Amino acid sequence: MPSSTAHVQTTLPTRAVRPARRALTLPAPRDLLALAGGVGALLLAAAGEALVESHNTTPVSLLLYLVAIALFAASAWLVPPAPVDLPVLGPVAPATAGRQRRTWAIAGGGVGLAILLDLGALSLLHEDIRSIAGAWLWVASLLVLGVTGVVLHRQWGWQPRWGEAAGPATARGRWVAPAILVAVLALAAAARLLGLDKVPLGINADEGDRAATAIQIMRGDNTESIFDYGWYFISMLYFWLLAGVLKILGAGYVQARVFGALAGLLATGIVSWIGIRHFGWRVGLLAGGLLAVLAVALQFSRETSESGVTAMLWALSVACFLEAARTGRAWAWIGAGFAGGFSLYFYPTGRLWAVLAAAYCLYLLAHGLGGRRPAVLRGVALAALATLLIASPFLLNGIAHPDTITLRAQETSIFTANNPTRLSYYKPEWTTAQLLVEQTIRSVGIFNQFHDDGGFWPTDEPIMSGLLAVLTLLGLGWVCVRPRDPRFVALAIWFWVGFAGVIVTVETPNVQRMGAAVPVLALFPALVLDSLARRLELGLRRVDLRTAPVLRWAPTALAALLMLVLMWGQARFYFADYGKVDRWPQPTIQGRAVADQGADTLVVTLGRQYHMVNSGWVRLLAPNTPRGGVQAPGSTLPLAVAADHNLAFEVYPRQMEYLPFLQEMYPGGVTEPYTHPTESLVVTIYRVSQQQWAATQGALAHPQSASPQQVPGLGVAPSGWTQYPAAMRWTAGWQVPAYWNYAVRIGPGPAKLTIDGQHVLTVPAGTPVLTTTVMLARGEHAVAYDGTLTAPDQPALFEWAALPADAPDAEAPLDWSVPATETLRATQDAPQGLLGTIQVGDRPAQLRIDQALADCCLSDHLRADGQPYTATWSGTLTAPTTGVYSMTLFAQGTVDLQVDGQSVIRRDGPSDEPIGGSATLNAGPHAVKLVYRVESGGGGLEWAWTPPGGQRSIVPPSALAPPPGAGVGPAAPPEALGKREYQPVLPPLDVVP
């Protein structure tokens, strides 16, 4: 309010004149009604909220809220417009004909060139989605259109329809307000960037899948196009941007969270700008301050997720749309299209932005903005063009692969198939209308009644409560009943379209699906507090503020104080209450267990859990630890991998039977359990050192006059050996990759080769080398090689080669090699395991020796290609002691386990549940046979036992032996082997970069 004090001091400088006291007068009835209406509405809403928080969610609480909204909106009409609400009035110089021609020439040239560049980009991307030239042409088209909008800044538009007097009226306010804004943004930055390793505590599993893809890109392991699709059909553009952040900051879950934190910081700045620009500095600062520490907004900023970026882009788009409605500038229309179109590349519900844009543009056309429909139509066309340009690669790929756009909606929509039955409260007799009503109630209830059912906001609490819920819901209702004000309509459309994803999908209410609407939440309480402050200012209009100057700032101070209370509550809840809660212990502990092993240790998961070590959360939390999954431990252990690291196995609680099995295969290791107070045992690590692992590989040399010694390979002299010539024996288990015919050559004589107890080849003395052809089953064979060392650094010859499919002899040129150290097991000197015969359809049989029966997915390893197959294993089971042996089988098919000709376990149909049985066995060998029939499916198989008084274990190799000589023999005819692909090779490790 203007004051005459300055004038008095100027005209009478020599004498201070004290103004006369004026009597305090009551506010005008209109002002009093406005204030009373606002306070009354607040009290009614508070009463409704009290009923909700007392778990008395009757229609009365809803009625109280609705009456409060109506009262607040009605009484708001009694408040005269503030300067920020008024348009700028004044003459506008008409454009000359020449200027109009230049303007249209610039617009036409810029738009035409942008379209041509984009068409060129699409042509290249259509041929190859990876086209670098196409990507750069796309970027160029965006730059051209953006520059065109900036150049047309003064040519197209109108006088501002509001917001010209958005800043403070006083000189002091004009420097205080920016200072507060800087403080708000600093607070937002601190709340988003500090302590990212502690809050949220641990990581959400989905964070790992997002960041792991970005780490692949960062390291060059993933070269998919930025316009292709990655995890959960999210555009690779998001992962490429995240990878860019990781390239700067390094790989890690904290670094991955920084991307979302920066997006949240930008969203805070944008919402503050929306408030200041369109509703006044008080609204902007109040909204920015609240958003800086709003708990649910912090979750979107501090958890690795594309939804936070989507929310920021929606906020930017709405800010540009509001500016377009305010001034009609070309750059604002184009900016709205760019920001919104860009959001399509991120969180799937962000694709609803098209509904937001269409609804608001239609509203502006209907409103007219004071007879400016042609100009609005021109702006809408620019926004639509900007959207099409920036989204064109996304749409191009979507046309080629429509499932990538629609599949996620089909999986979650309440209108699809039987999806509604996934809702715990669903009733089959409901109509679609009834379902939508219930969905809306449940969804809006996320504010103050229901907890998140999607796992993103794992607090077991609504996203707000108390005064914040009252102000937010009151503000939401108010903006929805201001249809003539484009500012309020924009906020209402922003919220409801962004929130619609919660209503129309399952897992209701799902906080993550309302991510695009989260930034606007801060504006609702700010608008309510600002309106109440205005009403209080009306009541003070008749007060002589010279007598009580503090009252000039009282309304603003009161609003700020209330907002500070709300901010403190939100910050305390998020960082203190929620910050202490460990909601994602499973993925976090699994990842940290792997990370604890260090970069010098290979970490392995087994069997049906083989994929866990390749899960995103492990790859994120342990980005530098070597790892891999063993799909078929019974077939591929011991690992045919060079022992150049330590070795650790990650064993899950449901597969503890693997621990004794591992202890036999890799003796001397250390067991370390990883537990959690609420989860008990999460994972167990069995770790052996590099030296212990290396001690199991290679061969064992048996000099005639010295102790056996481990050596790197068959025919290699022991370390320090000096006696030449020397006869020596070497023994080892030898892993053969596939059932096939192999050429083997040894020498010089005298030499002799025995495999699995079967004589294979003898070289007489004086003969340098002899070659033979032998059929070997896939798997580990016991090799005994008697050879002659003739000189230092000259091993006794032992080489082998796979024969061509059409040449069952060794006459063709062959690729000779020595068995690699990692394919040899120094500790094996006799055949172990069972002989397996696999018949897939009418293909030739597969012959294999499996150390144990433990396989996650036999169908894939056999390359069954959907055909039924029968697998038969036979051999000897040696009972270490007399007694009752408990046995279990996990078998995804029909199975019959026989011991000494008697069925111990039998099931005539597939199942994912283990089946048990028992057998009383005398100590010693027993004939065993297992017949396994799989019609379809993965073919998982695990055989475990519990010896009398012993520990449950996968039946170990030491207890099993194949029939004598069953896996070795003369060369098989080509028709018995078939094509090479019919005798598949199983890699030792499944590794995802």
Side-chain angles (χ1 to χ4, degrees):
M1 180 177 292
S3 173
S4 61
T5 304
H7 174 72
V8 172
Q9 291 176 343
T10 302
T11 55
L12 299 173
T14 59
R15 181 179 180 183
V17 178
R18 185 172 183 174
R21 291 182 179 272
R22 293 176 57 187
L24 297 179
T25 58
L26 294 175
R30 179 187 180 96
D31 300 342
L32 188 61
L33 283 174
L35 181 58
V39 174
L42 198 61
L43 293 175
L44 286 171
E49 182 62 25
L51 286 176
V52 170
E53 295 191 10
S54 66
H55 304 289
N56 186 15
T57 54
T58 63
V60 176
S61 58
L62 176 60
L63 180 61
L64 286 172
Y65 259 114
L66 292 177
V67 173
I69 292 169
L71 179 59
F72 194 88
S75 58
W77 286 101
L78 302 175
V79 181
V84 72
D85 300 323
L86 300 174
V88 174
L89 302 177
V92 179
T96 63
R99 182 180 178 185
Q100 287 182 338
R101 285 193 297 271
R102 287 193 300 272
T103 298
W104 281 104
I106 292 171
V111 166
L113 180 57
I115 292 174
L116 288 175
L117 289 170
D118 190 65
L119 290 175
L122 293 180
S123 176
L124 294 174
L125 293 172
H126 177 69
E127 294 179 4
D128 181 8
I129 196 68
R130 299 169 182 262
S131 172
I132 301 300
W136 280 113
L137 281 177
W138 172 70
V139 171
S141 72
L142 304 181
L143 289 174
V144 167
L145 186 62
V147 169
T148 301
V150 173
V151 171
L152 294 176
H153 174 67
R154 296 294 181 186
Q155 281 78 4
W156 282 345
W158 49 76
Q159 291 283 62
R161 293 181 52 79
W162 63 77
E164 187 65 16
T170 65
R172 179 181 297 178
R174 283 191 287 274
W175 69 262
V176 169
I180 295 175
L181 179 60
V182 171
V184 163
L185 295 178
L187 175 63
R192 282 158 175 79
L193 292 169
L194 298 181
L196 284 172
D197 58 331
K198 298 179 177 65
V199 184
L201 185 57
I203 68 165
N204 185 332
D206 288 350
E207 289 188 82
D209 289 308
R210 296 179 176 100
T213 303
I215 292 173
Q216 288 178 328
I217 296 170
M218 178 189 73
R219 292 175 172 171
D221 296 317
N222 188 325
T223 58
E224 295 293 330
S225 166
I226 62 173
F227 304 121
D228 216 325
Y229 291 90
W231 177 79
Y232 257 96
F233 304 116
I234 296 167
S235 173
M236 288 295 293
L237 184 58
Y238 164 70
F239 300 110
W240 276 87
L241 292 173
L242 181 56
V245 174
L246 297 182
K247 282 183 180 179
I248 298 172
L249 302 179
Y253 77 101
V254 172
Q255 295 89 329
R257 286 175 170 177
V258 168
F259 187 32
L262 295 176
L265 177 59
L266 286 174
T268 303
I270 293 167
V271 167
S272 301
W273 185 77
I274 289 174
I276 293 171
R277 181 76 160 173
H278 303 287
F279 301 99
W281 65 270
R282 185 163 54 202
V283 172
L285 296 182
L286 291 175
L290 178 58
L291 191 59
V293 292
L294 185 65
V296 68
L298 289 178
Q299 186 74 346
F300 279 94
S301 296
R302 297 178 67 90
E303 183 177 328
T304 304
S305 171
E306 68 285 348
S307 49
V309 183
T310 306
M312 181 271 293
L313 291 170
W314 275 47
L316 180 59
S317 177
V318 171
C320 290
F321 269 132
L322 282 168
E323 186 62 26
R326 176 179 176 267
T327 63
R329 301 299 183 192
W331 66 263
W333 292 105
I334 293 171
F338 277 167
F342 197 43
S343 74
L344 303 182
Y345 289 91
F346 297 92
Y347 192 63
T349 57
R351 297 163 193 173
L352 290 171
W353 175 85
V355 179
L356 180 156
Y360 193 59
C361 289
L362 289 173
Y363 165 79
L364 293 179
L365 286 169
H367 187 288
L369 299 180
R372 296 185 174 92
R373 284 190 180 88
V376 171
L377 188 61
R378 179 184 62 206
V380 169
L382 285 175
L385 176 61
T387 303
L388 289 174
L389 289 184
I390 199 167
S392 57
F394 174 86
L395 298 174
L396 176 69
N397 206 25
I399 292 172
H401 308 284
D403 284 352
T404 58
I405 295 179
T406 61
L407 186 58
R408 189 59 184 148
Q410 293 171 4
E411 292 174 344
T412 59
S413 171
I414 61 171
F415 305 114
T416 304
N418 293 322
N419 282 350
T421 60
R422 295 160 56 185
L423 300 167
S424 60
Y425 49 83
Y426 175 71
K427 297 180 180 179
E429 64 270 19
W430 280 351
T431 64
T432 301
Q434 289 173 312
L435 176 59
L436 280 173
V437 169
E438 184 65 23
Q439 283 290 98
T440 303
I441 293 171
R442 296 265 176 173
S443 298
V444 175
I446 190 62
F447 286 98
N448 57 0
Q449 295 183 57
F450 304 114
H451 63 79
D452 175 29
D453 204 31
F456 182 83
W457 177 245
T459 63
D460 297 328
E461 300 286 343
I463 63 174
M464 56 183 65
S465 61
L467 180 60
L468 180 57
V470 168
L471 294 174
T472 302
L473 293 175
L474 192 59
L476 171 59
W478 183 34
V479 301
C480 291
V481 293
R482 297 284 299 271
R484 295 182 61 81
D485 192 326
R487 300 171 300 169
F488 285 80
V489 171
L491 300 187
I493 294 175
W494 179 6
F495 172 79
W496 285 111
V497 175
F499 193 74
V502 185
I503 298 174
V504 300
T505 59
V506 294
E507 300 168 353
T508 310
N510 188 312
V511 168
Q512 190 168 15
R513 291 177 189 150
M514 65 173 286
V518 165
V520 74
L521 298 181
L523 285 163
F524 296 149
L527 286 168
V528 171
L529 289 177
D530 177 69
S531 179
L532 291 172
R534 285 193 191 184
R535 298 171 198 223
L536 188 55
E537 287 169 345
L538 290 177
L540 297 174
R541 283 194 302 179
R542 299 193 177 193
V543 177
D544 188 350
L545 297 180
R546 291 175 300 175
T547 64
V550 71
L551 294 180
R552 180 191 304 274
W553 296 99
T556 297
L558 182 58
L561 179 61
L562 289 174
M563 186 58 75
L564 286 172
V565 170
L566 297 177
M567 291 167 60
W568 171 254
Q570 289 291 291
R572 180 180 55 79
F573 171 78
Y574 190 81
F575 290 104
D577 298 339
Y578 170 60
K580 298 176 183 177
V581 180
D582 189 357
R583 292 296 188 181
W584 301 306
Q586 287 281 346
T588 304
I589 291 176
Q590 291 172 31
R592 287 177 177 165
V594 176
D596 287 349
Q597 308 313 306
D600 60 349
T601 301
L602 172 64
V603 183
V604 176
T605 43
L606 303 165
R608 285 180 284 161
Q609 302 296 325
Y610 82 93
H611 59 285
M612 297 299 287
V613 81
N614 289 322
S615 60
W617 56 88
V618 171
R619 288 152 58 202
L620 173 58
L621 289 172
N624 300 313
T625 302
R627 57 191 157 66
V630 175
Q631 299 183 12
S635 304
T636 55
L637 288 184
L639 278 176
V641 175
D644 51 5
H645 291 75
N646 303 316
L647 180 63
F649 293 91
E650 200 172 25
V651 180
Y652 288 83
R654 293 186 178 182
Q655 52 174 195
M656 295 303 289
E657 61 271 16
Y658 276 100
L659 268 180
F661 173 71
L662 293 171
Q663 288 164 348
E664 176 176 306
M665 302 293 283
Y666 297 98
V670 177
T671 301
E672 181 180 4
Y674 281 77
T675 62
H676 185 270
T678 63
E679 305 295 310
S680 298
L681 180 64
V682 176
V683 71
T684 299
I685 295 291
Y686 181 72
R687 178 185 174 101
V688 295
S689 68
Q690 179 183 355
Q691 293 74 20
Q692 290 171 316
W693 183 13
T696 67
Q697 295 186 342
L700 200 62
H702 303 263
Q704 292 181 349
S705 59
S707 299
Q709 182 177 333
Q710 182 193 6
V711 293
L714 296 166
V716 177
S719 176
W721 188 259
T722 59
Q723 301 177 24
Y724 299 95
M728 196 168 295
R729 164 172 282 205
W730 292 269
T731 60
W734 178 29
Q735 286 194 24
V736 174
Y739 170 46
W740 204 249
N741 289 329
Y742 297 93
V744 179
R745 63 185 182 186
I746 60 175
K752 179 182 178 181
L753 176 63
T754 301
I755 299 178
D756 292 341
Q758 302 298 303
H759 174 259
V760 172
L761 181 62
T762 298
V763 181
T767 301
V769 63
L770 283 181
T771 301
T772 190
T773 301
V774 62
M775 174 277 296
L776 294 175
R778 190 184 101 179
E780 192 169 72
H781 296 265
V783 175
Y785 173 36
D786 294 285
T788 304
L789 292 170
T790 57
D793 302 322
Q794 188 173 336
L797 180 67
F798 186 104
E799 293 183 334
W800 71 302
L803 297 182
D806 56 353
D809 52 49
E811 296 179 358
L814 300 176
D815 184 15
W816 292 99
S817 64
V818 298
T821 301
E822 57 266 25
T823 65
L824 300 174
R825 182 157 59 122
T827 56
Q828 184 180 355
D829 58 4
Q832 290 183 337
L834 296 178
L835 176 71
T837 303
I838 317 295
Q839 188 64 57
V840 180
D842 58 356
R843 297 177 184 174
Q846 298 182 28
L847 207 62
R848 49 194 282 160
I849 295 176
D850 293 305
Q851 294 285 302
L853 300 186
D855 196 313
C856 74
C857 20
L858 185 62
S859 301
D860 292 338
H861 302 155
L862 302 177
R863 294 195 59 180
D865 301 326
Q867 297 186 64
Y869 60 88
T870 300
T872 303
W873 285 273
S874 60
T876 301
L877 172 67
T878 300
T881 185
T882 299
V884 177
Y885 287 75
S886 173
M887 299 187 187
T888 58
L889 271 174
F890 169 78
Q892 294 175 314
T894 62
V895 65
D896 184 15
L897 171 63
Q898 299 176 9
V899 178
D900 293 331
Q902 300 296 316
S903 286
V904 176
I905 298 176
R906 181 182 178 90
R907 183 160 58 194
D908 295 327
S911 174
D912 285 335
E913 294 299 322
I915 184 172
S918 62
T920 301
L921 303 177
N922 294 323
H926 299 266
V928 64
K929 181 179 181 181
L930 188 145
V931 180
Y932 185 37
R933 174 73 179 177
V934 177
E935 297 294 334
S936 61
L941 179 67
E942 289 178 348
W943 179 27
W945 73 348
T946 305
Q951 188 178 5
R952 175 177 163 82
S953 168
I954 296 293
V955 180
S958 60
L960 301 173
V968 59
E975 60 271 15
L977 300 175
K979 301 177 182 177
R980 287 304 298 260
E981 56 264 31
Y982 291 163
Q983 307 296 339
V985 176
L986 178 61
L989 284 174
D990 179 77
V991 179
V992 176

